[in-house]
Amino acid sequence: MKKLFSLVLVLAMILSLAACGNKDDDKTGDDNGTSPTTAPDDSSDDDATGEAVTIKVFTNLPDRTTGQGFVEQTLFDSYMAENKNVKIEVEALDDEAYKTKFKAYAAGTTMPDLVSVWGQPGFIDEVMDAGLLQELNAADYADYGFIPGSLDGFSKDGKLYGLARNTDVIGFYYNAKMFQDNGWTVPTTYTELLALADTINAKGIIPVAMDGGDKWPLYIYMTDLLQKIDGTGVMQKTADAIANADFSDPSFKKAAELLREAASKGLFQTGFETTDYGTAKNLFTNGQSAMFYMGSWEMSMATNQDIAPEIRDNIRVFTMPLIDGAQGKATDISAWNGGGYSVTASGAQKEEAIKLLNYMFKPEGWTKLAWENGVCMSAQDFSQFATGNETEVQKQFTELVKSATSLSGTPLGDMGTSEFKTQSSDLTQEVSIGVKTADEYLQGLAGASK
Amino acid sequence: MEKTYSNKAIIVSLVLPGIITFIFAILAPIILSGYYSTTDFSGLGDFTFIGFDNFTELFKDKTFWTALTNSLLLAVGFIVIQHPLAIMMAALLDRKGKRAEGFFRAVYFLPNVISVVIIAYLWKFIFNANFGLLNNIVEMFGGKGNINWLGTGNAIWSVLIVLIWHGFGWGMLIYYTGIKNIDPVLYEAAAIDGCNNKSMFLRITLPLMKPVIQVNVTLAIIAALKQMETVYLLTNGGPGNETQFMANYLYKQAFSSFRYGYGNAISVVFVAICIIATQVLNVIFREREER
């Protein structure tokens, strides 16, 4: 009896250990970023037939039915239809969650094959330095029509590591009908903008819906102001300031003061510093605010069927107005090439992922689809795809880029390391709500650059 | 049977799974964390050994102290506001609840059943300065209704209210279970002796609840120090770093700033603080018991 009891105990122990072992195996798979439910199928597919290919895509576009996510998914679907042996598995997360999981993937041994990246030092430098990205053959893209300079952020030491998705322009979306009904005009100077804010506030309407909770729109606003203050060379000036940990240039102080002035005079909604992206956008699309400060990637609001037609059809845009006594012209705008794609060096299907990437960025791919659906402006020449059915806001953005005399380049917070980005985001939020003075802010930026 | 228990092979075989789990799931990560805290690892690529630089920087880091102060403030909030209310509510439910006892118990426990994400967004909307419920109520009573509840100065108190509210049901349930375990004969005897409700609570309920209170207070302090999800979703430590908490700051440094080494330094200090807090509480409660 005793022996039997001992035997049962030992058996129970072995079983429990075996169970632990299995769990650990599963977890390892998960940590490495392979989907626990599908990973085994993938490997067996590959090994068994030698033809079936599963490309794993990790993207920052979680909405697969509208906007850029829709364009991306459409391209994947058509690629799979043309290549029956290819299966594309998509994992999509919002920007911040995406960046966190990207790092978790990077810490493992295998990454997804095709990933979203940002061609800005704050994100891509560390990733390129760690050797996580596969070099692409730049000659492949010679006739893809990429706008000159748009791939610079994705390159290092003359080697290309990714392709830019869009040309991003920042602006004030406004409700033209609301403006017309109230007799408001588009401001041409910053003083007029602040005066307009007073008038709009008096009506009980929010002048500008600002996503200050995410903080990055605030440092883009800073860069936007810098562009209007200096006119040219903003990106270089910012890069130098970070490199030398010296933000004493008067333009930075002026921009910080103008940002603070705007917030204190009620240009943005109460509590803008804790309002997130979705809520800020809803304030505008519900008609609670007259304007919305956001990038050209939101031009698809004009075709979004979920937005009431009286607002959707009246969305227009203007860029940061002129600043009195400053050098920037109306045509000196804030624009850059931000998001894009890279193939990972450790992905299991590198070659296939490059084929997919090349397919996506054929001019008749992303560029055409994005433009025809009124989603965004590609980083490639999209003029050939003009349909004549463009929304007003699309036409305005096209005109803005066409007539631009200078572009700001990468926004302030994205110019340094990840740490600089975090700190500059916090600092810009703090200066905008008056917790820090302009001088403290600039000292903080200098400190964050070290 | 005794022989089985004294057989060393059997003892080892029974203890081993637990020890292995402990080593790989707890001990090894803590040691690794200690190791990484002495490096400048970004989480990607190579790293170098930098000694105690991260710790030196940490003790000069204003945000770290803000986060620690906020965590301690929350712990005080739990002990001074949440737990006295929870004990009183548990006693009230027990004595006066009657048929509605189960209903109220469920109502107070409800926030614990709802996902933290939903709780955080629910409160985010309640606090919203432009269309939030709270400002609408203020307006109804003649106020201006433009209070920035999550803005600078107010944010920390708003966050504390949410956290205290959210954990209330859990604390209450444990106290309620404790009260239910008190022999009703004691109350009957006290009633015969002419004891009123207040005296019964102070002289019977509270003294007999000591072990429960000890466990609950310890759990509350650890929960306050570990606070992360609700804060992350509600304010993410903002505006600036005004509502920063220890765990959230650790996460921010390691995963937003890509300062994995520094994040680990915070975690090492964090673990040390948790151990010290638990030990201090043990000493306090032991001294009381000895008296």
Side-chain angles (χ1 to χ4, degrees):
Chain A
M1 185 63 196
K2 278 174 195 166
K3 273 189 181 170
L4 184 72
F5 184 65
S6 310
L7 195 73
V8 169
L9 283 179
V10 170
L11 267 174
M13 181 209 71
I14 292 168
L15 281 174
S16 70
L17 274 179
C20 285
N22 281 342
K23 260 187 188 164
D24 283 353
D25 289 349
D26 288 350
K27 269 196 173 159
T28 313
D30 203 13
D31 288 347
N32 284 343
T34 46
S35 165
T37 48
T38 52
D41 293 346
D42 302 342
S43 54
S44 63
D45 276 0
D46 292 349
D47 294 342
T49 63
E51 288 175 359
V53 172
T54 302
I55 303 174
K56 292 200 171 94
V57 178
F58 187 34
T59 168
N60 68 322
L61 304 172
D63 181 355
R64 313 302 291 172
T65 53
T66 59
Q68 297 184 68
F70 166 74
V71 174
E72 190 184 72
Q73 191 57 50
T74 308
L75 286 167
F76 290 166
D77 290 342
S78 61
Y79 188 76
M80 283 192 282
E82 286 175 29
N83 301 276
K84 298 285 184 204
N85 63 326
V86 174
K87 190 177 156 205
I88 299 173
E89 273 179 12
V90 177
E91 183 185 0
L93 291 172
D94 267 327
D95 284 7
E96 291 314 306
Y98 176 87
K99 286 173 185 170
T100 304
K101 188 148 188 196
F102 184 92
K103 190 170 180 186
Y105 271 135
T109 49
T110 314
M111 288 188 77
D113 305 296
L114 185 67
V115 292
S116 295
V117 289
W118 286 264
Q120 299 163 335
F123 180 87
I124 206 166
D125 276 6
E126 284 150 344
V127 179
M128 285 194 293
D129 289 345
L132 297 175
L133 305 180
Q134 175 69 25
E135 188 191 343
L136 302 172
N137 182 10
D140 285 354
Y141 310 103
D143 54 355
Y144 272 46
F146 277 100
I147 296 166
S150 61
L151 298 180
D152 290 355
F154 298 83
S155 309
K156 198 187 174 200
D157 302 331
K159 292 176 180 172
L160 179 67
Y161 290 98
L163 299 181
R165 194 158 56 195
N166 302 325
T167 298
D168 297 326
V169 182
I170 196 82
F172 292 85
Y173 289 95
Y174 68 100
N175 184 332
K177 187 170 183 299
M178 197 188 274
F179 267 56
Q180 202 178 6
D181 291 351
N182 289 287
W184 304 329
T185 52
V186 171
T188 52
T189 66
Y190 204 69
T191 317
E192 280 177 29
L193 176 70
L194 297 187
L196 177 65
D198 279 344
T199 317
I200 298 175
N201 269 322
K203 277 256 174 192
I205 301 169
I206 296 163
V208 177
M210 171 62 101
D211 164 22
D214 287 313
K215 301 169 190 171
W216 53 262
L218 293 172
Y219 68 62
I220 292 180
Y221 194 93
M222 270 292 292
T223 295
D224 209 357
L225 288 168
L226 283 167
Q227 177 71 0
K228 280 292 180 305
I229 293 169
D230 283 358
T232 52
V234 170
M235 193 168 153
Q236 192 54 50
K237 185 180 268 188
T238 312
D240 291 345
I242 294 172
N244 303 322
D246 177 14
F247 281 80
S248 58
D249 187 287
S251 301
F252 290 113
K253 188 171 179 181
K254 170 99 176 153
E257 284 168 347
L258 288 173
L259 167 63
R260 171 64 195 137
E261 188 188 2
S264 65
K265 287 194 170 167
L267 180 63
F268 315 129
Q269 75 277 18
T270 311
F272 69 93
E273 71 273 28
T274 50
T275 307
D276 59 31
Y277 194 127
T279 311
K281 185 177 166 182
N282 284 342
L283 286 174
F284 178 65
T285 55
N286 289 335
Q288 285 170 278
S289 79
M291 293 173 264
F292 175 38
Y293 187 73
M294 197 41 75
S296 50
W297 55 87
E298 278 297 348
M299 64 164 73
S300 59
M301 285 190 294
T303 54
N304 187 341
Q305 296 302 311
D306 295 333
I307 299 171
E310 65 269 22
I311 291 174
R312 186 179 67 215
D313 298 338
N314 290 295
I315 296 177
R316 304 287 184 273
V317 70
F318 65 88
T319 52
M320 182 64 77
L322 295 173
I323 294 163
D324 300 330
Q327 291 161 17
K329 299 187 290 292
T331 50
D332 296 331
I333 61 170
S334 283
W336 62 92
N337 299 105
Y341 297 95
S342 286
V343 172
T344 60
S346 63
Q349 300 289 351
K350 270 188 277 194
E351 295 307 317
E352 293 297 330
I354 292 175
K355 277 187 211 164
L356 171 62
L357 183 67
N358 294 357
Y359 173 85
M360 287 170 72
F361 282 91
K362 278 181 185 167
E364 61 275 22
W366 177 273
T367 303
K368 183 168 186 268
L369 265 177
W371 187 248
E372 285 178 354
N373 286 287
V375 170
C376 57
M377 289 181 291
S378 146
Q380 293 154 275
D381 177 19
F382 51 84
S383 56
Q384 53 180 310
F385 300 114
T387 59
N389 297 323
E390 280 82 7
T391 60
E392 283 304 316
V393 75
Q394 252 185 310
K395 289 179 197 164
Q396 283 186 299
F397 270 119
T398 316
E399 194 49 40
L400 281 170
V401 175
K402 252 195 222 168
S403 58
T405 44
S406 85
L407 307 178
S408 68
T410 305
L412 187 143
D414 297 310
M415 289 291 294
T417 59
S418 302
E419 191 194 350
F420 178 79
K421 182 182 169 118
T422 315
Q423 289 199 34
S424 60
S425 302
D426 288 346
L427 288 162
T428 313
Q429 193 190 49
E430 285 172 327
V431 77
S432 70
I433 56 174
V435 171
K436 282 205 160 48
T437 63
D439 287 324
E440 286 168 342
Y441 168 64
L442 299 178
Q443 277 167 17
L445 286 181
S449 311
K450 281 173 187 161
Chain B
M1 195 71 176
E2 261 175 37
K3 259 196 178 174
T4 310
Y5 284 140
S6 57
N7 182 335
K8 282 185 181 156
I10 297 280
I11 293 173
V12 169
S13 68
L14 290 174
V15 172
L16 209 60
I19 289 185
I20 290 174
T21 313
F22 174 75
I23 289 172
F24 286 101
I26 299 173
L27 197 62
I30 289 179
I31 293 169
L32 275 177
S33 192
Y35 170 66
Y36 283 124
S37 70
T38 57
T39 68
D40 63 354
F41 191 31
S42 72
L44 300 172
D46 299 329
F47 55 87
T48 47
F49 180 76
I50 54 165
F52 289 99
D53 288 4
N54 280 333
F55 293 94
T56 320
E57 187 187 337
L58 186 61
F59 290 115
K60 287 182 197 160
D61 185 346
K62 275 185 194 162
T63 311
F64 168 74
W65 292 109
T66 308
L68 183 60
T69 313
N70 285 341
S71 298
L72 295 176
L73 192 65
L74 178 63
V76 171
F78 279 160
I79 295 167
V80 177
I81 302 170
Q82 188 190 59
H83 284 252
L85 279 177
I87 297 178
M88 281 192 270
M89 195 54 78
L92 214 63
L93 265 186
D94 176 53
R95 310 289 297 164
K96 309 276 180 195
K98 290 178 185 161
R99 278 190 186 173
E101 207 173 308
F103 171 74
F104 282 112
R105 204 172 54 211
V107 165
Y108 289 126
F109 195 66
L110 208 61
N112 286 274
V113 182
I114 304 170
S115 147
V116 177
V117 181
I118 295 171
I119 295 282
Y121 275 85
L122 181 84
W123 279 97
K124 225 174 167 174
F125 284 120
I126 291 175
F127 284 137
N128 189 291
N130 302 291
F131 53 78
L133 177 71
L134 216 51
N135 270 348
N136 278 323
I137 292 173
V138 170
E139 217 167 296
M140 234 168 65
F141 286 98
K144 259 186 126 184
N146 61 351
I147 303 167
N148 188 5
W149 298 100
L150 292 173
T152 188
N154 297 330
I156 187 66
W157 304 111
S158 301
V159 169
L160 289 184
I161 287 170
V162 176
L163 294 172
I164 289 171
W165 170 82
H166 190 201
F168 174 79
W170 187 250
M172 195 207 68
L173 198 73
I174 298 176
Y175 287 127
Y176 178 79
T177 317
I179 288 175
K180 281 285 172 201
N181 281 331
I182 297 173
D183 192 345
V185 173
L186 294 174
Y187 292 111
E188 283 164 25
I192 291 166
D193 290 343
C195 187
N196 61 18
N197 280 336
K198 189 184 157 195
S199 298
M200 274 190 212
F201 179 73
L202 291 176
R203 294 181 185 275
I204 300 175
T205 312
L206 270 189
L208 288 173
M209 288 277 285
K210 248 186 200 167
V212 182
I213 295 173
Q214 181 179 350
V215 171
N216 238 353
V217 166
T218 311
L219 286 177
I221 288 175
I222 302 294
L225 290 170
K226 273 169 51 184
Q227 180 48 236
M228 155 98 208
E229 312 92 306
T230 318
V231 172
Y232 177 77
L233 292 162
L234 201 61
T235 62
N236 197 9
N241 280 304
E242 212 172 298
T243 59
Q244 201 57 268
F245 281 73
M246 290 271 286
N248 198 56
Y249 188 51
L250 186 164
Y251 177 84
K252 187 176 173 177
Q253 285 293 341
F255 297 104
S256 294
S257 293
F258 281 17
R259 295 190 72 199
Y260 201 71
Y262 192 63
N264 273 298
I266 300 176
S267 78
V268 168
V269 174
F270 181 39
V271 169
I273 291 172
C274 284
I275 292 172
I276 293 169
T278 316
Q279 282 307 316
V280 168
L281 284 173
N282 281 343
V283 168
I284 292 172
F285 283 114
R286 203 178 301 144
E287 274 178 3
R288 291 240 167 114
E289 272 166 24
E290 279 164 7
R291 265 182 226 163

